[in-house]
């Protein structure tokens, strides 16, 4: 499971807790800001599949 937040701090905390109970979870390094800053694709909208 990929866990993401704005900066990566909260998602790292959550991923650590999930991993502690056996969930294969990783935090996305740098969070959403890092993802966008690296030029990776982003989809926005109010409903799944809506841009």
């Amino acid at each position: 499971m990929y866990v993401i937040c704005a900066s990566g701090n909260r998602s790292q905390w959550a991923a650590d807790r999930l991993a502690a109970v056996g969930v294969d979870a990783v935090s996305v390094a740098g969070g959403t800001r890092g993802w966008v800053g690296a030029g990776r694709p982003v989809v926005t909208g109010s409903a799944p599949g809506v841009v």
Side-chain angles (χ1 to χ4, degrees), residues 1-17:
M1 169 187 299
Y2 292 95
V3 184
I4 192 167
C5 70
S7 68
N9 294 322
R10 290 168 298 190
S11 61
Q12 184 62 62
W13 181 88
D16 290 345
R17 268 69 194 165

Side-chain angles (χ1 to χ4, degrees), residues 10-33:
R10 290 168 298 190
S11 61
Q12 184 62 62
W13 181 88
D16 290 345
R17 268 69 194 165
L18 289 165
V21 295
V23 177
D24 185 14
V26 294
S27 175
V28 175
T32 304
R33 288 185 202 128

Side-chain angles (χ1 to χ4, degrees), residues 32-49:
T32 304
R33 288 185 202 128
W35 183 271
V36 171
R40 293 189 174 99
V42 176
V43 176
T44 62
S46 59

